[in-house]
Amino acid sequence: MSAQQVARLRELLARVQRNKDLPRPTRAAAPAPPAEAEDELIVVGEADEPDVDLDDEVLAAADAGDVDDLLDLDGNDPDATATQPRAAMETYTGEEVFDDDDIVELDEDDSFEILEEDDDGEDLVVEDSDEGLDDLDEPAAVSQVQASSGSSQDDVDVEFDLTGDDSELTSEQRLRAASPATSTEDAMAELGSELEEEPSAPMTPPPESGRQVSSAPLSQPVGEMTFDAPEPSADVLELETSGEVGTEIDDLLGADPVAPPADKPRPPMPTMEQLGETVELEPATDAELELQAQPELEVAEPKVAPAPAEDLEMDLPTGAGASAFDASLSPPPEAKDELAAYKLREAGQSTPPAAVPIPAPTAKEPAAPVAPTPAATPSVVEAVVTRRPAVDDVQVLKLEGAIEPFEPKTFVALLDASLKL
Amino acid sequence: MPQPFNPFQALVADLNRGALVVDSNSRALVPTAALLELCAAAGEEGVRDFGRSLGTEAGRRVASRLKQLDEANIETMVEHLGGELALMGLGSLEVERWGRALVLGVLGSPFDERGDGLLAAILEGALQRSTGRDVAVVAVDRSKVHIRFAVLTAETAKAVRASIASGTKWSEALAALQTRGEA
């Protein structure tokens, strides 16, 4: 197919698009195919003009969206398309809008061929024709015609995208429609890419997918704030610098706190509204911190006025050494008797200890030992204990009024006791 | 050690002579019903005398075998006295001790309640003859096959009989005797 033919196809497409909005008669139902419908289907090479206009056929196919049924006809079986009459084609809503009677086959004389079967019966070829296009008065719903041609005419594939509703097209398809392929190679490439991209990504990423790149239009103004993302790719960086970021912040601030936040990416930094007024602190200096040494506290000890010391008085030792003594010191001679008595008590002897007089307070100069006198007051008083001797195993209890146990050893003793009753 | 009761050939039935012999003394087999009829006709004192005579014979034989009867224990006395009563066909003797009270029990007496007086008189005669004590035996309890006799003095027996007749249980009457004896 040459560039001229492509241009003609474009012109035809534009014309069809112009006419598609024009009012057209509606059909309630297609009539049953007449007997001569089979002859109309086999029209390749015939010189007769088709009775049915092309616009009706294309419009019906576009409404039905079932162009594939026409394209998927088995070319190896010519009877399948030539002899099998198709009563009607239905739309998705069940409305019969297509009739086999309306199938149009243009011959080569019209220099425009559509739905033509080649010699092998495999592919359909669309050829442009000025005369045939001029005859198309009614509007068509063809929105896009993609023609592809191989090296030979047999390899040419025709794909009709007869979707009547433009709103169902994706943005990519719209872009593709806006810039149609300039050559068959481009069309083939686009077709291959379409097939590859068929399992397209969902429009809305799942919540568990984490932060996603927003698909904002690139034409929006760049926002005032940007966020630091770890090594963003070129596409991501381009999208993040778009104005969508600013709107995301507003959406976050005004978002419903109950709603799950996974739908929108969370900003890594607090916003200015959250921060409020920030007070900047001066940076730390290198000055060393000096601490003032705590002054020693002077505890005011109570001052006791020293009493007038006499010659025989001695101040008691105070402090830690007040209760300590040297273990190697021998006991004073006055305490020997008391110590011996203490040892005897510990040994279990109950001998009364000897009366020990109270030792006189020690003076600076050891006083001479004083012999104990009977009149002297004993310092330790020991009790003389006289324990009661152990009682033998004797029945102590006697019950008054109780019957004494009677165990007669002889019969006569029992008889005598009974006679005493 | 006293000799045990030996009933070997104690009752000799001389069929040729038509005599029953116990310790060389002749006996006669009498139906119990006829004996009771006789006792009923003889009166209380006649029955008591008749019974005492029967018991005295039994006591004599016991005392003849037990030379030192005062030293004989209860089991020995029951063995010998009970053996003599068994030979007479009056049942099986047992001794019960209720505190200080001596109670003789007879199992399998051939008599009904009409023969209690006769049986009590037999026991009195046997004890008086064997022990040499004047005792009074009074029936205090009776069942179909078991009869209990308290061995008391004549006065005490009269009081117990009157107490039981007034409705006091025989065991309570004997218990009452215990406190009185202590006092």
Side-chain angles (χ1 to χ4, degrees), chain B:
Chain B
M1 185 70 182
Q3 295 295 323
F5 177 73
N6 186 8
F8 179 72
Q9 295 182 355
L11 178 61
V12 177
D14 189 353
L15 299 180
N16 295 327
R17 292 189 302 141
L20 292 178
V21 179
V22 175
D23 194 13
S24 304
N25 296 320
S26 60
R27 299 285 192 272
L29 286 178
V30 179
T32 56
L35 184 59
L36 288 178
E37 291 291 339
L38 180 62
C39 291
E44 183 177 354
E45 289 294 330
V47 173
R48 186 173 184 178
D49 293 339
F50 176 71
R52 281 181 176 265
S53 62
L54 294 178
T56 301
E57 181 61 23
R60 188 190 59 82
R61 290 194 299 270
V62 170
S64 64
R65 289 191 298 269
L66 297 176
K67 301 301 180 183
Q68 299 176 347
L69 193 139
D70 294 342
E71 297 179 359
N73 56 16
I74 301 176
E75 290 80 6
T76 303
M77 190 64 182
V78 170
E79 180 183 3
H80 286 265
L81 182 59
E84 294 296 330
L85 295 177
L87 287 177
M88 297 169 64
L90 297 177
S92 176
L93 180 70
E94 64 180 13
V95 174
E96 298 177 1
R97 183 170 58 85
W98 289 79
R100 291 180 175 271
L102 172 63
V103 176
L104 299 178
V106 177
L107 294 172
S109 170
F111 309 124
D112 54 10
E113 62 272 10
R114 293 177 296 177
D116 291 346
L118 176 61
L119 194 54
I122 295 173
L123 292 175
E124 284 181 2
L127 289 176
Q128 284 181 354
R129 180 63 179 89
S130 61
T131 61
R133 270 78 172 176
D134 191 8
V135 297
V137 176
V138 56
V140 294
D141 182 41
R142 177 182 177 86
S143 66
K144 189 173 182 181
V145 294
H146 191 205
I147 308 169
R148 286 188 175 92
F149 299 93
V151 181
L152 302 171
T153 59
E155 295 179 357
T156 306
K158 187 178 180 180
V160 169
R161 190 179 294 112
S163 177
I164 292 175
S166 65
T168 306
K169 288 185 176 180
W170 67 272
S171 57
E172 293 177 356
L174 294 182
L177 295 179
Q178 310 297 322
T179 56
R180 193 181 66 175
E182 290 290 329

